Amino acid sequence: MASTIRVRATSSGETTEVQALIQHPMDSGFIKDAKGEIIPPHFIQQLTFEYEGKNVFTADWGGGVSKDPYVKFAFKGGKKGDELKISWVDNKGATDTTTAKIQ
């Protein structure tokens, strides 16, 4: 199965800029379907970015984040060719992990 995470990481000088798009329904548990029944909550609880074994960005989310979330941030460090590890865990126990080479 293909990863739900698409990442672009670019290094310039001392800073690495990261952009990520994650495919996930991010259902809050407050929305109804066409039949009028509530769609159960299904959302990413934690999103983590690691560089050289250390967390450079962590997000603790709830049902208030929109479908297919987009994240953009920068951190000091990172060299071209190095790898960045990205992973998430949702409230139903599903996970996904991928790595991206810094450009």
Side-chain angles (χ1 to χ4, degrees), residues 3 39 56 59 67-68 94 98:
S3 178
I39 299 170
V56 293
K67 177 181 177 180
D68 299 337
T98 192

Side-chain angles (χ1 to χ4, degrees), residues 56-100:
V56 293
F57 183 90
T58 301
D60 293 318
W61 287 343
V65 177
S66 67
K67 177 181 177 180
D68 299 337
Y70 170 79
V71 176
K72 181 178 180 179
F73 70 97
F75 69 96
K76 287 192 177 192
K79 297 179 289 258
K80 293 181 182 187
D82 287 352
E83 287 194 345
L84 185 67
K85 179 181 174 186
I86 304 94
S87 58
W88 60 256
V89 178
D90 72 17
N91 67 316
K92 293 187 175 185
T95 63
D96 193 8
T97 301
T98 192
T99 57

